[in-house]
Amino acid sequence: MNKPIVTDVIFLRQKADITTENDTNVIRDLEDTLAANRERCVGMAANMIGYKKRTVIVSMGFMNLIMNNPVILSKSGEYETEEGCLSLIGTRKTKRYKEIEVEYKDKNFKQQKQKFSGFPAQIVQHEMDHLEGIII
Ligand SMILES: [Zn+2]
């Protein structure tokens, strides 16, 4: 289901809870809502559509990547950048890392470990911040 984007910062500042295999509706709604916002959005966290769950979706161009309960294992190459967010107005400065390695459970809850660099790495970091209640 295409869900409305949450802009309430009090809700967005709450830390999300572990996603389980019972939360397939969260995954489906993230896919539908990202598809509906395709031209203005490259990624989304579950709390942006009203679920306090640790799931993010990242557009990788040719496909969308679902990450449940992601954890950053390593990061390198700190830099400063400016980002926007569908839940907020305007852009804000933030610190990111050029390369990260992340452990997560995929759409089928299979454990995965993956390295990201450049723009995809930036999106993953932005969406993972949402899970901690951190907004740029
Ligand atoms: Zn955001």
Side-chain angles (χ1 to χ4, degrees), residues 116-130:
F116 298 89
S117 61
F119 193 45
Q122 186 180 357
I123 305 167
V124 170
Q125 289 168 81
H126 177 106
E127 304 312 337
M128 282 185 67
D129 273 356
H130 274 294

Side-chain angles (χ1 to χ4, degrees), residues 5 24 29 37-38 46 50 59 64 83 85 93 103 114-115 119 127 131 136:
I5 304 296
T24 49
D29 288 352
N37 290 279
R38 185 121 231 132
S59 168
N64 293 328
E83 292 177 355
C85 176
K93 277 191 180 152
E103 201 171 59
Q114 198 172 336
K115 281 183 179 155
F119 193 45
E127 304 312 337
L131 303 182
I136 45 164

Side-chain angles (χ1 to χ4, degrees), residues 6-87:
V6 174
T7 55
D8 175 5
V9 290
I10 292 168
F11 182 82
L12 292 169
R13 287 211 168 102
Q14 289 178 298
K15 225 172 146 170
D17 303 320
I18 294 290
T19 301
T20 73
E21 292 178 50
N22 297 325
D23 295 314
T24 49
N25 60 316
V26 176
I27 294 172
R28 215 170 31 238
D29 288 352
L30 274 171
E31 289 173 332
D32 293 345
T33 310
L34 182 65
N37 290 279
R38 185 121 231 132
E39 22 0 279
R40 58 187 190 125
C41 186
V42 287
M44 216 169 258
N47 38 10
M48 288 173 69
I49 59 166
Y51 295 111
K52 254 178 67 187
K53 291 288 173 178
R54 303 186 75 80
T55 299
V56 303
I57 187 167
V58 176
S59 168
M60 306 291 280
F62 55 99
M63 59 164 282
N64 293 328
L65 182 64
I66 289 283
M67 304 168 93
N68 296 304
N69 309 318
V71 177
I72 292 182
L73 301 176
S74 63
K75 49 191 181 184
S76 66
E78 191 184 304
Y79 67 102
E80 211 166 274
T81 185
E82 221 169 279
E83 292 177 355
C85 176
L86 211 51
S87 290

